């Protein structure tokens, strides 16, 4: 029973991570920049807005797919016959490690696109939001790495405690992205073929 409690808590936390990434990349109204991604440093020469939007959505799609693949690998690991608490911890730690690395890779890719002239503030805000996603994943990874596997009941409770952390982090990131205002960038995202799937 204790092991089932642990697995249930892990599954819930994982679902919230997936929801966080999905929320960050959904688009509504002037929030297409909800493309929680973003690249920008004034030091990077600008790209045209259409090219930026296309590259941005391509990076988001690849990022989401990587997270989905990692989640599937994690689910396969805990669905294996009689996984031990250590097996579950190792699988979740591997998944979170990949999530952190995938998010950093996306940041690097989007940054390399440069910032379109006139939307530097919007792209900088988006990059900050994506950095916060990576920080959230790093925090969860740290918590997972410190889990005590010798007591399944305590392990389950610790994982359950991660749920509100993930919920709060996802909400804060969503709120931050929602404040980004850039009609030009929103229009480019609406028109970019790569953004259709998002």
């Amino acid at each position: 029973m204790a092991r089932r409690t642990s697995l249930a808590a892990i599954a819930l936390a994982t679902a919230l991570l997936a929801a966080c990434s999905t929320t960050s990349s959904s688009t509504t109204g002037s929030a297409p920049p909800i493309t929680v991604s973003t690249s920008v440093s004034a030091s990077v020469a600008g790209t045209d807005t259409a090219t930026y939007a296309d590259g941005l959505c391509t990076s988001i799609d690849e990022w989401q797919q990587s997270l989905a693949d990692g989640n599937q690998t994690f689910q396969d690991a805990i669905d294996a016959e009689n996984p031990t608490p250590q097996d579950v911890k190792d699988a979740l730690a591997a998944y979170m490690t990949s999530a952190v690395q995938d998010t950093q890779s996306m940041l690097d890719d989007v940054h390399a696109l440069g910032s379109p002239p006139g939307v530097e503030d919007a792209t900088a805000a988006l990059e900050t939001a994506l950095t916060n996603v990576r920080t959230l994943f790093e925090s969860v990874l740290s918590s997972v790495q410190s889990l005590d596997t010798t007591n399944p009941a305590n392990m389950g409770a610790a994982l359950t405690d991660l749920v509100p952390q993930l919920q709060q982090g996802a909400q804060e990131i969503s709120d931050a992205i929602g404040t980004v205002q850039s009609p030009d960038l929103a229009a480019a995202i609406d028109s970019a073929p790569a953004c259709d799937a998002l």
Side-chain angles (χ1 to χ4, degrees), residues 15-66:
L16 284 170
L17 284 174
C20 173
S21 65
T22 300
T23 297
S24 321
S25 58
S26 63
T27 55
T28 55
S30 65
I34 225 168
T35 61
V36 91
S37 48
T38 187
S39 80
V40 198
S41 149
S43 63
V44 178
T47 305
D48 67 90
T49 307
T51 300
Y52 176 84
D54 195 68
L56 181 63
C57 290
T58 297
S59 293
I60 291 168
D61 184 54
E62 293 174 350
W63 178 62
Q64 287 186 308
Q65 187 58 56
S66 293

Side-chain angles (χ1 to χ4, degrees), residues 157-198:
L159 287 167
T160 300
D161 288 342
L162 291 177
V163 173
Q165 175 187 347
L166 289 166
Q167 290 174 321
Q168 180 179 354
Q171 185 60 54
E172 289 176 354
I173 292 164
S174 178
D175 290 346
I177 295 170
T179 64
V180 176
Q181 299 296 323
S182 176
D184 289 344
L185 184 55
I189 289 173
D190 283 340
S191 302
C195 299
D196 289 346
L198 302 178

Side-chain angles (χ1 to χ4, degrees), residues 96 100 134-144 162 165:
M96 292 313 309
V100 170
R134 186 199 60 204
T135 299
L136 174 63
F137 287 170
E138 288 173 336
S139 177
V140 173
L141 173 59
S142 178
S143 295
V144 169
L162 291 177
Q165 175 187 347

Side-chain angles (χ1 to χ4, degrees), residues 104-130:
Q104 182 59 56
S105 292
M106 180 182 166
L107 263 168
D108 293 341
D109 289 345
V110 176
H111 178 79
L113 291 172
S115 179
V119 295
E120 291 87 355
D121 289 347
T123 53
L126 291 172
E127 185 172 292
T128 296
L130 185 56

